[in-house]
């Protein structure tokens, strides 16, 4: 079992920044990466970014250059710095346990409960 807990969401204005955290616990050896996904109102959940235990990263094109993902292995915590936020970034952000293989992220069934980010214009 893997437990994932997101935090750091909130209401910000367009152009501002926010940092999300994802704390992992449990069978952390069963995966080599943590991925962030988001689900905007009325839309499907989509991949945003992922980081492996070794620090390798993978980003969706929509967030490249604005979002940065990092991790602190000692704390089993993954961070996502989001800069230049846009109203289109409004969504519930979820973290997911998975694996990065050959540069691609593959998720598992382990999800956190999500944290809401609202960006006002």
């Amino acid at each position: 079992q893997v437990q994932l807990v997101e935090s750091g969401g909130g209401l910000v204005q367009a152009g501002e920044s926010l940092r999300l955290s994802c704390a992992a616990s449990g069978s952390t050896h069963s995966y080599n990466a943590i991925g962030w996904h988001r689900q905007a109102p009325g839309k499907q959940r989509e991949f945003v970014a992922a980081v492996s235990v070794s620090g390798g990263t993978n980003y969706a094109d929509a967030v490249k250059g604005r979002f940065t993902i990092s991790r602190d292995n000692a704390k089993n915590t993954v961070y996502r710095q989001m800069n230049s936020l846009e109203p289109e970034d409004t969504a519930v952000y979820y973290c997911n346990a998975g694996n990065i293989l050959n540069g691609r992220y593959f998720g598992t069934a382990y999800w956190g409960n999500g944290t809401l980010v609202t960006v006002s214009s």
Side-chain angles (χ1 to χ4, degrees), residues 1 14 17 22 32 61 75 78-79 96 104 110-111 113:
Q1 290 290 331
S17 299
C22 173
N32 75 8
D61 289 341
K75 296 181 179 179
V78 170
Y79 304 98
N96 170 252
R104 290 187 60 190
Y110 297 112
W111 293 89
N113 290 327

Side-chain angles (χ1 to χ4, degrees), residues 13-95:
Q13 292 188 334
E16 294 184 339
S17 299
L18 205 59
R19 190 177 82 156
L20 304 184
S21 300
C22 173
S25 60
S27 302
T28 56
H29 63 274
S30 61
Y31 58 91
N32 75 8
I34 291 289
W36 280 99
H37 294 65
R38 66 185 179 185
Q39 187 165 17
K43 295 187 177 181
Q44 290 188 331
R45 194 172 296 187
E46 63 177 357
F47 171 78
V48 175
V51 61
S52 70
V53 173
S54 61
T57 58
N58 192 323
Y59 293 94
D61 289 341
V63 304
K64 283 181 180 177
R66 296 191 299 123
F67 291 6
T68 303
I69 191 168
S70 60
R71 66 185 299 153
D72 183 336
N73 288 332
K75 296 181 179 179
N76 282 331
T77 299
V78 170
Y79 304 98
R80 198 161 53 115
Q81 179 69 35
M82 305 186 295
N83 298 325
S84 302
L85 284 163
E86 304 167 351
E88 293 73 24
D89 296 315
T90 294
V92 178
Y93 285 76
Y94 299 90
C95 60

